[in-house]
Amino acid sequence: MNPFKHGQIVTGDDFCGRHDELKVLHERIETGQNVVLYGERRCGKSSLIAEAVRRSKNRQAVFVDLLNVRSVEDVCKRIAAGLFKLEKAETLFRKLARTLAALRPTLSLD
């Protein structure tokens, strides 16, 4: 059985190998340096980036699929959609955090 997953971004336990590249990319992200990552199609570039961001502290990423982009307007729409998705997720997270912070568990004996 093939342990590799194709056609999707993998992180965590499903991400394997590329320790040196992951370390360098993680360091660059933490220090705020710009990075250009290029390679053949389907070699795991997106998974490498996603795993590096996942391991980073207080960092988020907006993933924008630019495949089949036809115009500058299309690029802008896709970036805006990615930012909206990130903002929506952050808003939900903040609401959940406020709700959980307001809970005051009690223990009583009957």
Side-chain angles (χ1 to χ4, degrees), residues 12 15 17 19 22-23 26 30 50-57:
F15 184 84
H19 300 289
L22 185 59
K23 181 181 175 187
H26 181 259
E30 288 298 312
E51 181 62 14
V53 170
R54 188 185 73 80
R55 293 183 183 192
S56 296
K57 297 179 179 112

Side-chain angles (χ1 to χ4, degrees), residues 23-65:
K23 181 181 175 187
V24 170
L25 185 56
H26 181 259
E27 289 172 355
R28 298 297 192 277
I29 290 171
E30 288 298 312
T31 58
Q33 294 181 13
N34 293 329
V35 177
V36 174
L37 183 64
Y38 64 94
E40 297 290 325
R41 288 185 70 230
R42 304 183 62 92
C43 68
K45 298 179 298 292
S46 296
S47 294
L48 179 63
I49 294 168
E51 181 62 14
V53 170
R54 188 185 73 80
R55 293 183 183 192
S56 296
K57 297 179 179 112
N58 301 318
R59 301 286 180 174
Q60 294 179 323
V62 176
F63 285 90
V64 180
D65 184 1

Side-chain angles (χ1 to χ4, degrees), residues 5-109:
K5 295 182 179 181
H6 295 280
Q8 62 186 359
I9 294 175
V10 293
T11 59
D13 292 338
D14 292 328
F15 184 84
C16 60
R18 305 176 102 179
H19 300 289
D20 294 337
E21 294 89 346
L22 185 59
K23 181 181 175 187
V24 170
L25 185 56
H26 181 259
E27 289 172 355
R28 298 297 192 277
I29 290 171
E30 288 298 312
T31 58
Q33 294 181 13
N34 293 329
V35 177
V36 174
L37 183 64
Y38 64 94
E40 297 290 325
R41 288 185 70 230
R42 304 183 62 92
C43 68
K45 298 179 298 292
S46 296
S47 294
L48 179 63
I49 294 168
E51 181 62 14
V53 170
R54 188 185 73 80
R55 293 183 183 192
S56 296
K57 297 179 179 112
N58 301 318
R59 301 286 180 174
Q60 294 179 323
V62 176
F63 285 90
V64 180
D65 184 1
L66 298 178
L67 187 64
N68 296 325
V69 167
R70 304 257 187 243
S71 66
V72 173
E73 181 182 346
D74 195 17
V75 171
C76 294
K77 285 180 181 178
R78 291 183 190 202
I79 291 173
L83 291 171
F84 178 75
K85 185 177 177 182
L86 179 67
E87 180 64 29
K88 185 177 176 183
E90 184 177 332
T91 302
L92 290 174
F93 178 74
R94 286 184 183 174
K95 286 179 184 177
L96 178 62
R98 278 195 304 269
T99 301
L100 293 177
L103 293 178
R104 299 290 181 246
T106 59
L107 177 66
S108 62
L109 299 174

